[in-house]
Amino acid sequence: MQSRISNLSRTVGSRSASVKASFAAVALVASPLAGLTTSAAAADAPGNPAPLSTQQRSDLVEQHLGIGRTSGGQAALVNSALADRGVTSAAAPGAVTLSWKPYTADARYTIVRDETPLTTTKPGQATFKDTNATAGASYQYRIIPELKGDTSTARTWGLTVAVPEVNRGETEAAAVQRTATTQAAAAKAAATTTLTWTTFIPEKYINQPIPKACKYWGSKYVYGGDNRGFDWKSSRYRTSASAVIDWKSHKVSGSTSVKATHVYKKSNKKLVAKKTASAKDMKVKKLGAGSGYADIRMVTHSTNPFCGGVAKVKGAIDGALTFHITRGGWEIRSGNHRQMPNHEIYIYNGGRVTWVYKSKYASPLCLVGSAMCDLKNLTGYYGKYK
């Protein structure tokens, strides 16, 4: 089964919808969440949170956020952005409840939080409560269906969830409301949104696996890696492509970069040669843009400048993606890449970074292409910003 992801998707809703109607909708879609109920401002002894302003109410509607209570009476931040697809989340201080519409009556699901599997559900189970969620943290959950037979239409649902934290002297309801309004305002406020796709080699040094394909190969030489993990702040990479969307002008500014390749003696790690591959095949292109959206095509392609290939087959970092981005979220409408090296895609929006995708490489031989290992299909990944 090809996993696919969504953080918390959907384009923004109508700004003119009434708060009463919006929270009624949240209550309806959140009904699987242990009897969750919603209101414009949940009361919580010994006091209530401050009344929401008209702008805050509008922002919550646009971002599909609601303030409610679980069946146990605890205040919770409800996200219904994926409600039309059967998925909701409710975050209370210290706990997150996920709910989804099952594919079949006996389907099982693996729940993953930040790449760590938490559990596999019983057949037919359609909710999960994470009681080990840290207040103030932000997590990316994945709900992965474990299906039999034809799984071509199956999706891996992805949700980025902020867990409310109660400050000193603050009620739980006030903390939930503060988290909700902060999230909604940040998603709206960004004048620009930046999409970045980088590839990197996690090791400090790596062997060249294809005999006689490169000028430097065999047991005497190693190639330099980037010596890092997934880290959007890092300046070490093999390739990088970025698109900056200006929401006022609808302009998209693209940039691409390829870092130099280093060859070292394996015995003493002394530098033997350094060369930078051409970036001519790296591309960032605006396909279209309008009020609140932009369609972007990204192509990443770079060879090892010391490698001529074998039998006209030249190994390369290679991939192409088409993104649809809105003020509230994103979707990969088509795309794949070779499974070497590591890939990371993230979006900077409203002062926060949202991870779109992380992939560890399968094998250096994947540089040759699909003849050596399958391409990674990214079509259908979609999500919403933190």
Side-chain angles (χ1 to χ4, degrees):
M1 179 188 69
Q2 176 63 53
S3 294
R4 300 174 186 179
I5 190 169
S6 78
N7 278 13
L8 289 171
S9 96
R10 287 255 310 177
T11 54
V12 296
S14 169
R15 291 178 60 92
S16 61
S18 71
V19 148
K20 181 178 180 181
S22 69
F23 282 131
V26 172
L28 176 64
V29 301
S31 58
L33 293 173
L36 183 89
T37 58
T38 58
S39 61
D44 188 37
N48 296 324
L52 292 169
S53 67
T54 300
Q55 185 61 58
Q56 287 174 324
R57 292 172 184 270
S58 178
D59 291 346
L60 288 174
V61 171
E62 284 192 355
Q63 302 306 321
H64 304 278
L65 297 175
I67 303 164
R69 286 188 177 278
T70 66
S71 59
Q74 190 175 19
L77 168 57
V78 182
N79 193 305
S80 60
L82 291 179
D84 62 332
R85 303 179 188 187
V87 182
T88 54
S89 69
V96 173
T97 302
L98 308 176
S99 175
W100 59 93
K101 182 179 179 180
Y103 281 99
T104 61
D106 60 349
R108 298 164 64 95
Y109 299 82
T110 296
I111 311 300
V112 176
R113 188 184 75 185
D114 291 346
E115 307 304 319
T116 301
L118 299 181
T119 189
T120 297
T121 66
K122 298 177 181 179
Q125 182 178 333
T127 62
F128 170 75
K129 186 173 183 178
D130 181 6
T131 57
N132 292 317
T134 301
S138 180
Y139 298 111
Q140 186 176 77
Y141 292 91
R142 286 188 291 157
I143 306 168
I144 305 172
E146 308 292 347
L147 306 179
K148 298 178 181 179
D150 183 9
T151 61
S152 60
T153 61
R155 286 186 183 275
T156 292
W157 302 107
L159 306 95
T160 299
V161 179
V163 185
E165 180 178 22
V166 181
N167 293 331
R168 186 174 181 179
E170 187 179 37
T171 65
E172 283 193 350
V176 169
Q177 180 175 295
R178 172 177 49 79
T179 304
T181 54
T182 299
Q183 275 195 302
K188 269 196 62 179
T192 62
T193 296
T194 303
L195 168 69
T196 302
W197 179 10
T198 63
T199 67
F200 64 94
I201 297 172
E203 295 87 358
K204 189 173 183 178
Y205 303 102
I206 192 168
N207 294 321
Q208 200 298 112
I210 308 172
K212 300 183 180 179
C214 304
K215 179 178 180 180
Y216 300 98
W217 69 281
S219 60
K220 292 184 179 180
Y221 304 102
V222 291
Y223 287 78
D226 301 298
N227 193 31
R228 72 169 178 96
F230 294 104
D231 180 6
W232 66 273
K233 295 180 181 180
S234 178
S235 60
R236 301 192 299 271
Y237 54 81
R238 296 296 86 213
T239 66
S240 181
S242 291
V244 180
I245 305 164
D246 187 310
W247 293 112
K248 184 176 181 180
S249 66
H250 304 160
K251 291 182 178 179
V252 176
S253 302
S255 62
T256 62
S257 176
V258 176
K259 285 293 183 76
T261 299
H262 297 76
V263 183
Y264 302 89
K265 280 189 177 181
K266 192 170 186 177
S267 58
N268 58 13
K269 303 302 185 293
K270 182 179 179 180
L271 182 65
V272 174
K274 174 183 175 182
K275 193 174 183 180
T276 303
S278 170
K280 67 181 180 65
D281 293 320
M282 298 278 295
K283 291 180 173 59
V284 177
K285 181 181 180 181
K286 182 180 80 171
L287 300 180
S291 179
Y293 84 93
D295 292 325
I296 299 168
R297 179 71 169 171
M298 280 188 167
V299 177
T300 183
H301 185 90
S302 180
T303 62
N304 185 324
F306 296 108
C307 301
V310 176
K312 297 183 180 181
V313 177
K314 193 172 184 179
I317 299 170
D318 188 68
L321 299 172
T322 299
F323 286 87
H324 176 73
I325 299 182
T326 72
R327 296 294 296 268
W330 51 270
E331 178 181 5
I332 301 178
R333 292 194 162 168
S334 66
N336 57 44
H337 67 79
R338 294 180 182 177
Q339 295 192 65
M340 177 67 195
N342 287 17
H343 287 251
E344 63 183 17
I345 304 173
Y346 54 89
I347 295 175
Y348 183 84
N349 183 75
R352 297 191 178 195
V353 170
T354 296
W355 284 101
V356 173
Y357 178 71
K358 299 177 184 178
S359 177
K360 294 181 179 180
Y361 71 78
S363 166
L365 293 174
C366 293
L367 290 172
V368 175
S370 57
M372 299 303 296
C373 62
D374 292 338
L375 299 178
K376 184 72 172 183
N377 182 12
L378 301 182
T379 304
Y381 282 58
Y382 55 93
K384 182 179 176 68
Y385 312 128
K386 281 185 179 180

